[in-house]
Amino acid sequence: MIPLAFDYARPDTLDDAIALLAEKGEDASVLAGGHSLIPVMKVRLGAPEFLIDIGRLPELSYIRVEGDELAVGAATKHRDVVDSAEVATEVPLLGAVARTVGDPQIRARGTLGGTVAHADPAADLPAALLALDATVVLQGPRGRRTVPIGEFYTGVFTTVREPDELIVEIRIPRCGDKGWAYEKFTRRSNDWAIVAVAVSDDRIGLVNMGSTALRASATERALAEGKSIAEAAALAAEGAEPPADTHGSVAYRTHLVQVLTRRALETAHGAR
Amino acid sequence: MKVEITVNGEPTSADVEPRQLLAHYLRETVGLKATNIGCDTTSCGACTVLLDGDAVKSCTVLSVQADQQSVTTMEGLDGASEGRPEHPVTAAFRSEHGLQCGFCTPGMVMSAVSLISHDDDLDERKVREGLEGNLCRCTGYHNIVRAVLVAAGKDPDAAQKSEAESDALRTAPAFSRGEAGA
């Protein structure tokens, strides 16, 4: 399978990339690792006229502690997140979830910013970033702005990113001493989650339970009110609109998310 | 668009369409046919090559993304042509009968080369996790896993004695148990 024809540029600097994106706007897609974008283009669900390759910009590949936060460059590869000592110490959930993305070859190419931008409701990392209370840093011709991850997604494959804006960084509050867990249920070992649940410090992110990654708000409120884990986890599907497909019905996912939420909360609380 | 890619230590260059996939560059432009295209959907791993030393699926990399970089295919391993000693991974695949139809083998071998170079203390569980991105529909993986362990200098029989233990690990994935932060 071969994508429709497009033009390609690999700018040498972040400034050049942003200038080019401002010029091309909606005609362009940003290419980093390409492991979400290229498959979509190969089956011709996507056909951008122009690709701006930021995958090799050293300015966008870094992991560093900055004050109370960990800053991760948007083009940082999943494998570098998995291997990072800073991630393991400061935001261990992020490394554990990145380790479940695809397989080793996919993790060697796919990037954190790419999976955030792609906005697939079945992707692991957006839900983990919701549980981690992360912030997305966007840069465009009007300068930089930051968007809380909870306000970033608007629907399946859609976000508040403007066509001339580039995701340049993900910022995550340091939480190394807090309980966390990731429960992912798949049919095959390297597959997308049928449902997954990320927990960090009683914030709960759900994978594949609606058109975007979402928080299990009713469960979070119940925990805050002192309800038991079992009582709180039973509310995990409240407000969610899970998809129905060959992997599971709405009823199946509704049940599954409660089970996984209970397990994740038990693990997270046990690790405290 | 002109690309310059070092393939198996030799400089190559060509004028390619940006939409050309690296797998097609290797097979059709350069003419090296060991890299197989299986599923063409980033799943099966038959097209795995090393890109600047990392195992990647060349059906999901554009040739232009590999411009000015270095690719190693199965043909580039020692012993692929006459007069050179056999590469330890291919030798181990032969001695341990790690292939049947052979279609997945180049990808398996390239993943194994990358895995061994990135981890000098492999065990069976790590090998199985490391080959997660390579599908084989013939052998059931056991001999492939043995071959990788042999190539890594490990005793595959010692590793297989602990299979019951690794079965337990597979049903309780480490990633969900909070251990990475412990």
Side-chain angles (χ1 to χ4, degrees), chain B residues 28-179:
Chain B
E28 290 151 28
T29 305
V30 185
L32 297 174
K33 299 291 174 69
T35 303
N36 290 326
I37 300 173
C39 68
D40 207 3
T41 60
T42 338
S43 299
C44 78
C47 65
T48 300
V49 299
L50 304 185
L51 178 57
D52 275 0
D54 293 326
V56 304
K57 292 178 175 175
S58 62
C59 79
T60 312
V61 178
L62 303 169
S63 305
V64 289
Q65 286 179 289
D67 181 35
Q68 307 296 327
Q69 292 191 317
S70 169
V71 171
T72 306
T73 71
M74 182 93 181
E75 291 97 335
L77 299 182
D78 290 340
S81 61
E82 288 177 20
R84 287 186 289 166
E86 190 169 22
H87 190 278
V89 175
T90 54
F93 266 68
R94 194 144 54 80
S95 70
E96 300 304 317
H97 202 106
L99 74 164
Q100 288 189 2
C101 92
F103 192 82
C104 72
T105 302
M108 288 280 184
V109 167
M110 300 318 289
S111 280
V113 170
S114 173
L115 186 60
I116 291 168
S117 72
H118 283 106
D119 189 336
D120 56 11
D121 191 24
L122 288 173
D123 57 24
E124 189 196 336
R125 181 184 148 199
K126 288 182 184 173
V127 171
R128 288 187 183 275
E129 286 180 355
L131 294 179
E132 196 179 12
N134 293 78
L135 305 183
C136 165
R137 299 286 93 135
C138 297
T139 74
Y141 305 91
H142 286 290
N143 288 354
I144 294 169
V145 172
R146 283 178 65 90
V148 179
L149 287 166
V150 167
K154 304 292 179 182
D155 177 357
D157 294 316
Q160 292 213 332
K161 279 177 200 145
S162 66
E163 194 146 302
E165 185 190 340
S166 67
D167 280 343
L169 285 166
R170 275 196 292 281
T171 58
F175 58 76
S176 68
R177 297 298 163 195
E179 68 175 16

Side-chain angles (χ1 to χ4, degrees), chain A residues 109-263:
Chain A
R109 295 291 294 173
T111 66
L112 182 60
T115 193
V116 167
H118 189 61
D120 189 325
D124 300 281
L125 285 158
L129 292 171
L130 270 176
L132 288 164
D133 209 17
T135 306
V136 182
V137 183
L138 296 150
Q139 190 168 335
R142 296 167 300 284
R144 278 194 174 214
R145 67 177 175 130
T146 60
V147 180
I149 188 84
E151 298 168 19
F152 187 70
Y153 293 110
T154 52
V156 180
F157 303 137
T158 57
T159 73
V160 299
R161 182 183 77 87
E162 298 290 340
D164 59 1
E165 286 181 312
L166 190 65
I167 297 175
V168 292
E169 189 177 84
I170 310 297
R171 301 186 69 85
I172 307 158
R174 295 165 66 183
C175 55
D177 57 342
K178 302 295 201 307
W180 60 274
Y182 190 56
E183 288 284 345
K184 178 177 180 177
F185 191 83
T186 62
R187 292 261 184 252
R188 300 177 302 186
S189 66
N190 61 350
D191 214 342
W192 298 92
I194 295 172
V195 173
V197 178
V199 170
S200 176
D201 196 23
D202 286 354
R203 275 187 308 271
I204 303 161
L206 304 181
V207 175
N208 217 8
M209 283 296 291
S211 59
T212 69
L214 70 157
R215 296 266 291 271
S217 304
T219 299
E220 293 179 2
R221 277 196 302 274
L223 288 172
E225 289 163 5
K227 298 264 172 49
S228 71
I229 285 176
E231 288 171 305
L235 306 172
E238 208 163 279
E241 293 180 358
D245 55 30
T246 54
H247 301 298
S249 62
V250 169
Y252 179 76
R253 283 190 165 88
T254 299
H255 175 71
L256 186 57
V257 77
Q258 295 172 36
V259 173
L260 297 181
T261 300
R262 178 176 54 73
R263 286 183 191 165

